[in-house]
Amino acid sequence: MKINTACVHSGNNNDDFYGALHTPIYLTSNYRLPTDGTPVDWSGINSNIYARNRNVNQTALEEKLKALEEAEDCATFASGAAALHAVFATLLKKGDHVICSQVCYSSVNILFREVLPEQLGIEVSMIDTTDAKNVGKHIKSNTRMIHIETPGNPTTGISDISEIAKLASPGNILLSVDGTFASPLYQKPLALGADLVVHSMTKYINGHGDALGGCVLGNKKLIEKIKLTAMVNFGGILSPFNAYLINRGLVTLPLRMKQHSISAHKVAVHLSALPCIRFAYYPGLDSHPQHTVAAKQMVGYSGMISFALKGDEKTNYLFLNALSLISHAVSLGDGETLIVYNEVTSEKIKYYPQEFHNGFFRLSIGLEDPDDIIEDINMALTGAGLM
Ligand code: PLP
């Protein structure tokens, strides 16, 4: 099955009773247990006992995601953050060393900088992973995992998956890749040598801004371990309703990603040409610092742009307030174009490269007509006195 077909058909065949084409929502927390003495695997994940061990809608969604990532197995969770925590808390132990991209989603940043070292005794190196050689320099005898986010949130920095996988493989080191910005459509970390790929399904995978979810994919052994520990015992499972919504959202993933990319490219070209823009980074443009790596490992460039204005904090807020179609709101990958201002005083800004330190914007290009998005940006730049 080609990927567009898998988006439509995989995970739809669970209603043997009525024959519905789409998996119905199974809103049940528990299932009937055998009464004939057949042993029950209380903490197991291979039979329907309790919705924290396994639930029908979650299994249907996992089937679809497996097809998209060409993975042996998949585990889904209540959010992207829960999926990431499941990976780290299941596979790392006290005394292990882990390397993580210093540009990464804020809750991962806090997990790595505070929770893992202070509460779990895990040694952490937060480094620039856009330079694969730099990753090599930080590998130690107790390094057990490298976790990279590519493209990285919020700068769109690109890390070279296959080069980092080569560094990881001889040393029994797991490579985990957060591919949320690319979606399963535009980047295949497992095929490039990663052991695990993680997505916040809240973003492009669901695509409608109405459900949180997260997933992890990899080989059967790793995913089984993650399910048994994190799903059954930590309990951050995906609800049947959200699994249903995300499965439905995935049907249009290829169409949505195509439009996000076409529009983001057009907006990025427009921004780059404006004299009032300090930088505009989009992985699909030659001017992106890691465009060559992006071109090697991505099939499409998705809808995320980071940019900065020539102006001070006051100008940045004037611009933000003058936007009308584009909403100042967190998250990304929705139908609406969303912008987040990373202010100069933000705690996280020091972890990003120097040129981001004067304040910058992260723009998630939605599914509106790109000319309307450009017009809104132009109007706001005029309102801020920049055009
Ligand atoms: N990974 C990336 C790259 C993200 O951008 C986010 C959220 O923005 C997450 C993980 C966390 O996902 P969630 O908000 O679904 O917990």
Side-chain angles (χ1 to χ4, degrees):
M1 244 193 250
K2 300 248 187 317
I3 198 158
N4 295 20
T5 316
C7 279
V8 179
H9 286 275
S10 299
N12 284 349
N13 52 358
N14 284 297
D15 183 20
D16 293 338
F17 196 71
Y18 290 111
L21 280 188
H22 300 148
T23 310
I25 308 174
Y26 287 81
L27 285 177
T28 184
S29 45
N30 40 2
Y31 297 81
R32 277 199 193 95
L33 296 173
T35 51
D36 60 357
T38 308
V40 176
D41 183 6
W42 300 104
S43 300
I45 49 167
N46 296 319
S47 56
N48 294 337
I49 302 170
Y50 189 48
R52 178 152 47 72
N53 303 55
R54 181 169 100 160
N55 72 61
V56 178
N57 293 95
Q58 181 198 70
T59 309
L61 173 60
E62 286 167 0
E63 284 305 312
K64 189 167 282 191
L65 293 162
K66 272 158 60 178
L68 303 191
E69 286 285 5
E70 294 163 42
E72 270 181 36
D73 212 347
C74 171
T76 49
F77 292 91
S79 67
L84 288 157
H85 171 261
V87 169
F88 310 140
T90 303
L91 302 174
L92 293 170
K93 61 176 191 329
K94 194 174 167 182
D96 286 349
H97 171 242
V98 57
I99 294 171
C100 178
S101 300
Q102 70 186 12
V103 174
C104 62
Y105 178 61
S106 53
S107 71
V108 175
N109 202 316
I110 292 166
L111 271 183
F112 275 91
R113 287 185 196 277
E114 295 171 21
V115 183
L116 296 189
E118 288 165 20
Q119 285 170 241
L120 303 178
I122 292 161
E123 214 186 316
V124 173
S125 300
M126 302 290 287
I127 61 157
D128 177 9
T129 57
T130 62
D131 174 4
K133 286 201 194 84
N134 190 39
V135 177
K137 283 185 205 149
H138 286 84
I139 293 177
K140 307 203 273 190
S141 56
N142 60 338
T143 306
R144 289 289 162 266
M145 185 184 288
I146 302 171
H147 176 74
I148 59 173
E149 203 176 284
T150 186
N153 184 2
T155 62
T156 76
I158 305 288
S159 299
D160 191 324
I161 302 172
S162 58
E163 282 303 309
I164 298 174
K166 276 186 221 154
L167 295 169
S169 54
N172 195 23
I173 301 167
L174 292 173
L175 174 60
S176 149
V177 178
D178 184 330
T180 299
F181 269 32
S183 91
L185 210 75
Y186 285 163
Q187 185 174 269
K188 294 269 185 282
L190 299 176
L192 294 167
D195 299 286
L196 294 165
V197 56
V198 187
H199 292 278
S200 164
M201 300 194 290
T202 316
K203 320 300 178 195
Y204 290 109
I205 288 184
N206 178 50
H208 291 72
D210 53 8
L212 267 73
C215 61
V216 189
L217 297 106
N219 70 35
K220 274 209 168 305
K221 200 170 153 207
L222 283 175
I223 299 298
E224 182 174 70
K225 201 168 171 191
I226 290 170
K227 280 189 168 178
L228 288 170
T229 306
M231 233 171 66
V232 180
N233 295 327
F234 299 164
I237 57 116
L238 186 66
S239 76
F241 188 60
N242 277 13
Y244 166 84
L245 284 177
I246 296 169
N247 207 341
R248 187 170 74 152
L250 271 172
V251 172
T252 54
L253 182 75
L255 297 172
R256 288 187 283 108
M257 291 313 292
K258 193 171 166 191
Q259 190 58 50
H260 284 303
S261 304
I262 291 171
S263 299
H265 189 270
K266 191 164 183 183
V267 174
V269 168
H270 175 75
L271 284 172
S272 302
L274 294 174
C276 61
I277 299 292
R278 198 153 49 80
F279 64 78
Y281 290 143
Y282 177 63
L285 294 189
D286 286 349
S287 53
H288 187 283
Q290 296 90 32
H291 171 68
T292 321
V293 183
K296 185 178 76 162
Q297 68 188 21
M298 297 178 81
V299 183
Y301 298 107
S302 199
M304 301 303 299
I305 300 170
S306 64
F307 71 96
L309 304 177
K310 284 183 187 156
D312 56 10
E313 190 88 329
K314 192 170 157 235
T315 316
N316 288 336
Y317 278 111
L318 282 173
F319 168 73
L320 198 59
N321 280 299
L323 289 167
S324 138
L325 182 78
I326 301 172
S327 304
H328 186 213
V330 295
S331 208
L332 56 110
D334 294 359
E336 298 86 13
T337 296
L338 304 172
I339 195 163
V340 169
Y341 178 48
N342 288 269
E343 72 277 14
V344 178
T345 50
S346 127
E347 262 181 51
K348 309 171 272 184
I349 214 156
K350 59 177 179 288
Y351 303 126
Y352 309 145
Q354 187 69 36
E355 62 196 314
F356 290 85
H357 292 190
N358 290 336
F360 69 99
F361 296 90
R362 185 195 74 186
L363 188 59
S364 166
I365 299 297
L367 300 174
E368 305 94 340
D369 191 297
D371 291 340
D372 288 333
I373 301 170
I374 288 173
E375 194 182 319
D376 200 40
I377 291 171
N378 286 349
M379 262 175 22
L381 289 172
T382 308
L386 289 165
M387 258 174 78

